[in-house]
Amino acid sequence: RESKDQLVIDAGQKHFGAITCRSCGMIYTAASPEDEAQHMQYHQRFMEGIKFVGWKKEHIVAKFWDGKIIMIQPDDPKYAIKKAEEVRELVDNELGFKQTTLSCPNKTVTYLYVSNEKKIVGCLIAEQIKQAFQVLPESVSHDLQSLEMLDRHRAWRCSTVPQTAICGISRVWVFSLMRRRGIASRMVDAVRTTFTYGSYLSTDDLAFSDPTPDGKLFATKYCKV
Ligand code: ACO
Ligand code: ZN
């Protein structure tokens, strides 16, 4: 299913008449009724999912010129947990993740980036962990095409030697039209200051689980600074 969606999107970008919806970010062909119907359906679900009405008790962990980061912990009110779950489902859908329940909900903290327009434009899910396995750098040189293939298949080689890590980042997502503005970086910054009460986590304490190509590029850059 995931690869089929990808094909549709790739084709859409090459054809004249492809439109990017400025609200939900979906790329579709306006001339195709099938595409339009698919967009309508996606659009509605997405807009509903990222809508943030505002709560009486919001745990704001950071404020910026364009929005704020709120933290949702396992013992928070039901409405907050429900919203976190709703956003996670949207993100999982985009990432092609099939597993819909978290392995350890009582150790999971969700960070949402809420824009001034009251839309959730970023989501990060962090879990307390004890160990992680480092992704190994590629040993042989690849030409661009085979590297791309590797990207698609997520065939990273991992070390068999566990390393201690404190915080596992199981998902990090930013709305497609708002990427490369430092939103993911600001969410990870917030994790580092708030995840373990009273201490600031170093990048060595973080582990990004099963990263996508985007996730790997981001994590590599972030952890170097
Ligand atoms: N390509 C190359 N470099 C990148 C990319 C990319 N796609 N994304 C981030 N970087 C690097 C850049 O150096 C960037 O700095 P620059 O823009 O000044 O060059 C730096 O990382 C910081 O990037 P941010 O702006 O903080 O990251 P952003 O807000 O764009 O979010 C994210 C990055 C979350 C990976 C976003 O691209 C996304 O949502 N992608 C789709 C979902 C996804 O694949 N998420 C990762 C899943 S893996 C996991 O969750 C563990
Ligand atoms: Zn749309």
Side-chain angles (χ1 to χ4, degrees), residues 9-140:
I9 290 167
D10 284 346
Q13 282 165 328
K14 282 179 199 108
H15 283 288
F16 184 73
I19 295 174
T20 304
C21 176
R22 275 203 264 178
S23 306
C24 75
M26 183 173 165
I27 300 160
Y28 66 101
T29 325
S32 154
E34 207 180 305
D35 249 31
E36 280 203 76
Q38 209 181 18
H39 169 236
M40 289 261 279
Q41 197 183 12
Y42 176 82
H43 186 98
Q44 226 171 8
R45 193 172 153 225
F46 185 84
M47 297 316 286
E48 190 57 38
I50 66 163
K51 192 162 81 187
F52 187 78
V53 289
W55 304 325
K56 256 186 237 154
K57 263 176 63 186
E58 281 173 16
H59 193 162
I60 301 169
V61 292
K63 275 187 174 175
F64 302 96
W65 61 96
D66 60 350
K68 62 187 171 189
I69 299 174
I70 61 166
M71 176 163 89
I72 300 160
Q73 288 170 300
D75 54 355
D76 275 346
K78 248 203 172 129
Y79 56 79
I81 303 284
K82 232 185 111 193
K83 192 67 202 179
E85 263 167 26
E86 198 182 347
V87 176
R88 180 170 54 80
E89 274 167 28
L90 278 184
V91 172
D92 281 2
N93 187 42
E94 188 176 322
L95 290 174
F97 284 8
K98 290 279 141 55
Q99 186 198 5
T100 44
T101 49
L102 290 165
S103 48
C104 224
N106 62 330
K107 285 187 179 153
T108 302
V109 183
T110 303
Y111 296 81
L112 299 178
Y113 199 102
V114 181
S115 74
N116 291 341
E117 292 76 38
K118 290 186 171 289
K119 301 224 163 63
I120 295 159
V121 296
C123 171
L124 187 154
I125 300 176
E127 290 165 293
Q128 200 184 309
I129 56 165
K130 288 206 179 73
Q131 59 178 36
F133 299 88
Q134 195 180 11
V135 175
L136 296 174
E138 297 313 317
S139 46
V140 276

